[in-house]
Amino acid sequence: MPLTVELKTPLTGPYKQPTGLFINNEFVEGVDKKTFETINPTTEEAICSVHEATEKDVDIAVAAARKAFNGPWKTISPQQRGIYLTRLADIVEKNSDLLSAVESLDNGKSISMARGDVSSVVGCIRYYGGWADKITGSTVETVPDHFNYTRYEPIGVCGQIIPWNFPLLMLAWKISPALATGNTVVLKTAEQTPLSALVFAQFVKEAGFPPGVVNIISGFGKVAGAAIASHMDIDKVAFTGSTLVGRSIMKAAASSNLKKVTLELGGKSPNIVFKDADIEQAISWVNFGIYYNHGQCCCAGSRIYVQEEIYDKFIETFRKRAAANAVGDPFDEKTFQGPQVSQLQYDRIMGYIEEGKKDGAKIEVGGSRHGDKGYFIQPTIFSGVTPDMKIMKEEIFGPVCAIAKFKTEEEVIELANDTTYGLAAAVHTNDLNTAIRVSNTLKAGTVWVNCYNMIHHQLPFGGYKESGIGRELGEEALANYTQHKSVSIRLGGPIF
Ligand code: TXE
């Protein structure tokens, strides 16, 4: 199979799509010459095939990353690392239209959201480019005849496994802090969405990164993903995906070489609306909180708690708002919600909708397929949902939310924290005291007040409880990609 195919998108016209595995700055075939198709979720038809990595290819990519880590990458100054990253950000920015269009084609997200993603990708890479030469240790006074200092050293070869909901953005979140701190990477994309990362890979080479520093492979979780998690020469694995697979990654890391592990997993985030909130504003954010990216967000505000005094008015207005969300062709500029990413995700979500109906929750709006082609699901609201119902407990990862009413602040805090997850939460109120009191009590890595989904690369992001381990973004992510070394020098004086 060729290493490049000609594809076209409605916005860019024809373009050259790489299909190979990106190892050592070149696109190559897999050792076993396997390929797999990627499906357009809007049409349910194959877009093209890409080369598939197996364990043998993971070995080759890891060897390339190791060689680069021990060789050229080690001798490059932190400032130069930053220059590579900022140059990469500039090239990505210049190619925003192409990257956004490929993202919409392969993932199904609306073009306006894809553009937002690419703009965040640029911001994230540039931000970590700025960090590269500002990673400093400290001197520590212990006793007078010792001079002590600490250093932050790169961990080594990092394996990174990303999901399909934000293919380019997850790539940027993973590689940027890893490269800024001097690591090399082998990143596996999700099997549903390999295309945009392969277009991006060309820009890595163009930005001047030495061969082997960034390796990007397409492949399946159980084969290439599992090979990364259990590899004896990978020093750290970073994973974003389901809690189920997160556990298996941790087990594989533990039973191989005890590589460092960071995990960004699922969520079932509460979105709390107090009676004193600006109700129109709150509904806009609640709508954005659950339906943004078609509900395919780890931090989606999928449990909505509304204080009883405003419950009926809230439902009535929110129902109209959700029904008005434009669902359809991702390349239509007006579209807010495109198709779900795959048949499998479509079936999972429809299964949850059936569960909700069976359990006796009330459908306020939606609940069915949208159209007759593509994996489209109507924006769906369930009201009167009780804590024991599956749709209140489990991550649905689609355009479906569960609403319940509450009486008091104490009650809603208990309800909000009654989950095994802890990724995000939101509070809508005009009372500053309530906002701060509740935010500080919620067990979640991020709390938004009077807004939702306002993720920014300068702020750490990650989960309490079973939503993950470690933090991505912000200064905190640098700690996930460095080893801290203490050096203690005896300056003479008496020996004990
Ligand atoms: O995830 P998987 P799936 C949640 C969401 C969704 C559910 C299932 O609830 O409905 O997970 O989605 C790779 N060893 N999230 O099945 O399987 C896989 O190839 C190593 C939340 O798509 O976890 C892909 O690259 N890797 C989430 C990545 O893991 C393995 C985003 C994610 O796939 C592997 C996505 C294995 N054994 C889904 N099995 C979030 N936190 O944002 C799979 N993979």
Side-chain angles (χ1 to χ4, degrees), residues 176-398:
S176 309
L179 298 176
T181 45
N183 300 277
T184 58
V185 305
V186 175
L187 177 139
K188 189 194 84 62
T189 52
E191 51 270 40
Q192 299 84 349
T193 52
L195 298 186
S196 55
L198 296 176
V199 174
F200 179 97
Q202 305 170 105
F203 306 143
V204 168
K205 185 173 179 179
E206 194 181 328
F209 284 93
V213 172
V214 179
N215 304 278
I216 298 177
I217 57 177
S218 316
F220 291 91
K222 287 210 167 97
V223 182
I228 288 175
S230 60
H231 206 285
M232 291 302 287
D233 201 30
I234 289 183
D235 303 300
K236 183 232 160 77
V237 61
F239 170 78
T240 298
S242 62
T243 300
L244 188 75
V245 173
R247 283 183 209 284
S248 79
I249 303 263
M250 225 172 154
K251 281 189 199 146
S255 52
S256 54
N257 61 345
L258 271 175
K259 54 180 69 62
K260 315 282 171 269
V261 179
T262 44
L263 303 172
E264 207 259 89
L265 308 173
K268 190 74 187 172
S269 300
N271 203 347
I272 304 169
V273 186
F274 284 95
K275 63 179 182 213
D276 67 342
D278 177 325
I279 194 158
E280 290 295 330
Q281 289 260 337
I283 284 168
S284 288
W285 286 110
V286 165
N287 187 63
F288 187 65
I290 180 61
Y291 300 121
Y292 166 63
N293 208 38
H294 328 163
Q296 301 170 148
C297 286
C298 46
C299 54
S302 50
R303 292 186 291 142
I304 297 157
Y305 297 105
V306 183
Q307 205 155 21
E308 65 179 1
E309 290 86 342
I310 57 163
Y311 184 82
D312 292 338
K313 179 162 184 235
F314 181 94
I315 299 259
E316 192 194 318
T317 320
F318 183 34
R319 192 200 291 138
K320 287 188 203 133
R321 181 64 206 259
N325 288 338
V327 183
D329 177 6
F331 283 99
D332 183 333
E333 294 288 343
K334 291 192 289 298
T335 294
F336 175 72
Q337 185 186 311
Q340 308 308 127
V341 77
S342 66
Q343 180 75 53
L344 181 63
Q345 284 305 115
Y346 173 90
D347 291 342
R348 278 181 181 151
I349 297 160
M350 291 310 282
Y352 275 111
I353 291 177
E354 286 315 308
E355 293 276 351
K357 288 181 191 163
K358 235 181 350 190
D359 285 345
K362 181 178 174 207
I363 291 211
E364 295 287 348
V365 75
S368 307
R369 180 185 192 108
H370 170 93
D372 51 15
K373 196 170 177 210
Y375 312 125
F376 292 93
I377 298 178
Q378 296 171 338
T380 300
I381 300 175
F382 278 105
S383 65
V385 186
T386 54
D388 53 306
M389 290 185 194
K390 248 189 176 173
I391 56 167
M392 190 58 107
K393 286 171 110 89
E394 296 180 15
E395 183 174 51
I396 300 176
F397 226 60

Side-chain angles (χ1 to χ4, degrees), residues 5 53 72 86 98 102 107 120 141 145 168 207 250 256 260 282 294 303 349 397 408 478 492:
V5 292
T86 45
L98 174 63
V102 176
N107 168 280
S120 300
E141 297 294 327
D145 60 352
L168 280 172
M250 225 172 154
S256 54
K260 315 282 171 269
H294 328 163
R303 292 186 291 142
I349 297 160
F397 226 60
T408 64
L478 302 171

Side-chain angles (χ1 to χ4, degrees), residues 368-485:
S368 307
R369 180 185 192 108
H370 170 93
D372 51 15
K373 196 170 177 210
Y375 312 125
F376 292 93
I377 298 178
Q378 296 171 338
T380 300
I381 300 175
F382 278 105
S383 65
V385 186
T386 54
D388 53 306
M389 290 185 194
K390 248 189 176 173
I391 56 167
M392 190 58 107
K393 286 171 110 89
E394 296 180 15
E395 183 174 51
I396 300 176
F397 226 60
V400 182
C401 63
I403 308 193
K405 69 171 84 147
F406 70 92
K407 281 189 171 56
T408 64
E409 184 179 313
E410 294 68 34
E411 181 195 4
V412 79
I413 287 171
E414 202 160 305
L415 288 168
N417 286 335
D418 179 23
T419 170
T420 55
Y421 291 116
L423 197 54
V427 184
H428 302 268
T429 174
N430 273 327
D431 184 327
L432 189 60
N433 295 330
T434 309
I436 296 175
R437 212 170 39 235
V438 177
S439 299
N440 289 351
T441 321
L442 290 170
K443 293 191 169 55
T446 294
V447 180
W448 290 294
V449 176
N450 294 335
C451 60
Y452 208 93
N453 281 332
M454 292 291 102
I455 294 171
H456 195 279
H457 49 258
Q458 289 173 253
L459 288 166
F461 182 80
Y464 280 40
K465 301 192 254 179
E466 293 177 27
S467 284
I469 296 178
R471 291 291 179 271
E472 302 201 273
L473 304 183
E475 187 176 351
E476 282 72 6
L478 302 171
N480 289 332
Y481 285 99
T482 44
Q483 297 273 17
H484 299 187
K485 179 182 278 181

